[in-house]
């Protein structure tokens, strides 16, 4: 099946089985390696992208569902945007170590803050609850995103 979507601003068409996980389409057919894979069951969040602006775990999304939609990976985040603010805050708070989880956290945070700019620290903790980090202990990540939220108020 031909699946066409906007990938970080570029119209992209791939010929893939409709049930192929979007994560694998992005990594294998589009070379979008910022989309990570660490489980196959929606438990880690490392494969998160924005699908028409909403954070989704792409290991759970069949390719056919992306047809006609926009897909934003962390590579598509531009300077001067809220997504860049989140990335900068993570760096400033030393909230990443190996960085494997970071693209997923950035996109989950971006999607959430877009919907709820008045989020407080506990809102942020809850919003990022679907993303797993093996390195940081989470607190610095929460600090970083909560700081961005505070600046939005
Ligand atoms: S790889 Fe998709 S949630 Fe873990
Ligand atoms: S920084 Fe290593 S998994 Fe999060």
């Amino acid at each position: 099946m031909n699946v066409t979507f906007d990938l970080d601003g570029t119209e992209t068409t791939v010929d893939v089985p409709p049930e192929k996980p979007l994560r694998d389409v992005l990594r294998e057919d589009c070379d979008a390696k910022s989309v990570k894979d660490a489980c196959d069951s929606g438990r880690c969040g490392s494969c998160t992208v924005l699908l028409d602006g909403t954070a989704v775990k792409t290991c759970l999304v069949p390719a056919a569902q992306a047809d006609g939609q926009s897909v934003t990976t962390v590579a598509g985040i531009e300077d001067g945007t809220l997504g860049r603010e989140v990335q900068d805050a993570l760096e400033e708070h030393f909230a990443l170590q190996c960085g494997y989880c970071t693209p997923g956290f950035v996109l989950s945070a971006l999607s959430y803050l877009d919907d709820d700019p008045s989020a407080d620290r506990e809102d942020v903790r809850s919003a990022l609850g679907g993303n797993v980090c093996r390195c940081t202990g989470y607190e610095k990540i929460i600090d970083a995103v909560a700081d961005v939220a505070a600046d939005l108020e």
Side-chain angles (χ1 to χ4, degrees), residues 7 13 15-16 31 42 50 56 91 109 121 128 141:
L7 175 57
T13 299
D15 182 9
V16 295
D31 201 31
L50 302 185
V56 297
E91 284 188 30
R121 186 182 170 81
L128 299 180
I141 296 174

Side-chain angles (χ1 to χ4, degrees), residues 96-101 133-136:
L96 56 107
Q97 291 180 25
C98 77
Y100 199 83
C101 68
C133 175
R134 287 175 169 268
C135 304
T136 65

Side-chain angles (χ1 to χ4, degrees), residues 108-130:
S108 292
L110 174 57
S111 175
Y112 188 73
L113 294 178
D114 256 345
D115 284 348
D116 183 7
S118 64
D120 64 21
R121 186 182 170 81
E122 287 314 303
D123 295 331
V124 168
R125 186 187 299 280
S126 171
L128 299 180

Side-chain angles (χ1 to χ4, degrees), residues 25-107:
V25 172
L26 293 169
R27 287 179 57 81
E28 296 168 7
D29 302 287
C30 305
D31 201 31
K33 294 292 200 293
S34 71
V35 181
K36 304 302 186 192
D37 58 344
C39 76
D40 285 314
S41 53
R43 286 176 296 139
C44 75
S46 66
C47 65
T48 301
V49 305
L50 302 185
L51 192 60
D52 271 1
T54 299
V56 297
K57 294 177 177 176
T58 51
C59 63
L60 301 179
V61 176
Q65 201 172 314
D67 194 46
Q69 309 237 35
S70 72
V71 175
T72 304
T73 74
V74 79
I77 291 176
E78 297 178 350
D79 287 344
T81 64
L82 181 57
R84 181 66 68 193
E85 281 184 50
V86 172
Q87 289 177 295
D88 290 346
L90 289 169
E91 284 188 30
E92 286 161 12
H93 284 78
F94 302 103
L96 56 107
Q97 291 180 25
C98 77
Y100 199 83
C101 68
T102 306
F105 271 101
V106 168
L107 292 163

